[in-house]
């Protein structure tokens, strides 16, 4: 194995932090809702609940997207790109490594997508990575491919 990397999206809030955040927001929303209820504005209490439910749903959707991953494995025979979508379905693509080009568009302000190209076949990898992470993966993959090209 010349290269083996698993790429995953970054999530800055852990599940425990998410529970703490929703708990704190629920407490604040309940306290504010009770204050509005005492003033006679009872519908406000329901809207505070809806806000928190919508926020929890958005975080749930974000964590679901975080379940995707990509694995790049380089052997002398092939570069295998294995990826899983958020639903867990896994697909695999094999590319011959000898003429493989590792491309990153650096013409703009930030580096563009990381593309692997060979013989009319193109695969974009690491779309969920930060720009600097895509550059790091591209550089590491180029270094791993160098001995194959040298013969």
């Amino acid at each position: 194995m010349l290269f083996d990397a698993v790429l995953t999206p970054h999530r800055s809030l852990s599940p425990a932090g998410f529970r703490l955040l929703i708990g704190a927001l629920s407490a604040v929303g309940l306290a504010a809702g009770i204050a509005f209820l005492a003033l006679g504005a009872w519908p406000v209490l329901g809207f505070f609940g809806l806000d928190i439910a919508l926020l929890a749903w958005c975080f749930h959707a974000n964590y679901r997207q975080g379940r995707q991953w990509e694995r790049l494995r380089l052997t002398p025979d092939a570069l295998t790109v294995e990826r899983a979508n958020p639903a867990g379905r896994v697909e695999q693509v094999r590319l011959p490594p000898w003429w493989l080009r590792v491309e990153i568009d650096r013409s703009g302000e930030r580096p563009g997508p990381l593309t692997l190209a060979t013989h009319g076949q193109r695969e974009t990898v690491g779309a969920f990575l930060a720009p600097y992470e895509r550059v790091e993966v591209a550089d590491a993959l180029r270094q791993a491919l160098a001995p194959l090209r040298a013969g």
Side-chain angles (χ1 to χ4, degrees):
M1 185 84 47
L2 301 172
F3 183 81
D4 190 7
V6 177
L7 311 177
T8 57
H10 175 71
R11 294 295 177 255
S12 59
L13 187 63
S14 69
F18 166 70
R19 288 189 294 275
L20 182 66
L21 176 69
I22 293 298
L25 289 174
S26 296
V28 169
L30 183 62
I34 289 173
F36 278 101
L37 182 66
L39 294 172
W42 57 268
V44 174
L45 182 62
F47 284 111
F48 276 121
L50 281 174
D51 285 349
I52 293 166
L54 180 63
L55 183 66
W57 179 82
C58 289
F59 270 99
H60 175 72
N62 183 284
Y63 283 124
R64 187 170 192 274
Q65 288 293 325
R67 290 194 306 237
Q68 64 184 325
W69 54 267
E70 293 178 349
R71 183 173 188 179
L72 307 175
R73 282 186 289 189
L74 178 64
T75 63
D77 299 327
L79 173 70
T80 305
V81 179
E82 189 177 7
R83 56 173 58 102
N85 66 12
R89 197 178 109 238
V90 178
E91 66 179 38
Q92 189 176 43
V93 176
R94 291 176 54 92
L95 303 168
W98 305 285
W99 295 281
L100 185 70
R101 290 185 322 275
V102 180
E103 301 172 346
I104 262 195
D105 180 16
R106 295 181 191 228
S107 62
E109 193 174 299
R110 300 169 65 184
L114 170 57
T115 305
L116 307 174
T118 182
H119 297 291
Q121 190 176 5
R122 300 178 71 78
E123 285 294 320
T124 300
V125 296
F128 47 76
L129 296 176
Y132 75 91
E133 292 172 320
R134 288 192 300 266
V135 170
E136 289 175 0
V137 169
D139 291 343
L141 191 52
R142 283 184 189 116
Q143 285 180 346
L145 284 166
L148 288 176
R149 293 182 179 148

